[in-house]
Amino acid sequence: MNLEMQQFKAEFFKALAHPLRIRILELLAEGDKSVNEIQSLVGSEGSAVSQQLTVLRTKNIVTGTKEGTRVIYSLRDPMIIELLKVAKQIFNNHLVDTITILDKMKDSNAE
């Protein structure tokens, strides 16, 4: 794989590396939303949401479309939804592995 692709991937994942940005993407996976809607749903102050949207916009992960005085945000690429699903599955796989290890430890301590 070429260096440019590796750099792109590193920068892309860096842009996703914040819990509020992930939450915003999960909300946008459900449909386009205004800043006010996002703020209300995440229960966070406006400046925090705006900062995270700026990062996502700068990295071309979300787009903003002006509608009157509002800006409506949407996912730039619907494959983000699949990426979030895959990340959740990886988390679940790790969780299952951890539970299995803990069960084995519990069984060996009971003996």
Side-chain angles (χ1 to χ4, degrees):
M1 186 175 306
N2 63 30
L3 184 59
E4 291 83 13
M5 180 57 70
Q6 292 168 344
Q7 185 65 37
F8 169 81
K9 288 178 181 180
E11 292 297 320
F12 177 79
F13 284 113
K14 235 190 277 185
L16 300 181
H18 191 284
L20 183 53
R21 290 195 288 262
I22 296 296
R23 180 67 182 126
I24 290 169
L25 293 176
E26 290 171 342
L27 290 171
L28 292 177
E30 298 169 1
D32 300 351
K33 296 190 177 27
S34 70
V35 176
N36 290 339
E37 290 173 302
I38 295 168
Q39 288 170 334
S40 174
L41 291 166
V42 300
S44 183
E45 60 185 61
S47 61
V49 169
S50 293
Q51 287 173 345
Q52 302 313 325
L53 282 167
T54 298
V55 172
L56 293 170
R57 227 181 23 245
T58 301
K59 296 298 183 181
N60 290 317
I61 296 171
V62 301
T63 59
T65 307
K66 194 125 169 107
E67 288 186 6
T69 59
R70 302 181 329 153
V71 177
I72 305 299
Y73 286 91
S74 58
L75 297 176
R76 185 171 186 273
D77 188 330
M79 289 299 296
I80 295 290
I81 297 168
E82 296 304 312
L83 180 66
L84 295 172
K85 287 179 185 177
V86 169
K88 183 178 180 181
Q89 187 59 51
I90 291 168
F91 172 81
N92 288 339
N93 291 344
H94 283 276
L95 188 59
V96 167
D97 291 344
T98 301
I99 290 170
T100 301
I101 290 167
L102 289 173
D103 284 344
K104 286 180 182 177
M105 288 173 59
K106 182 180 161 188
D107 291 343
S108 68
N109 287 338
E111 294 174 356

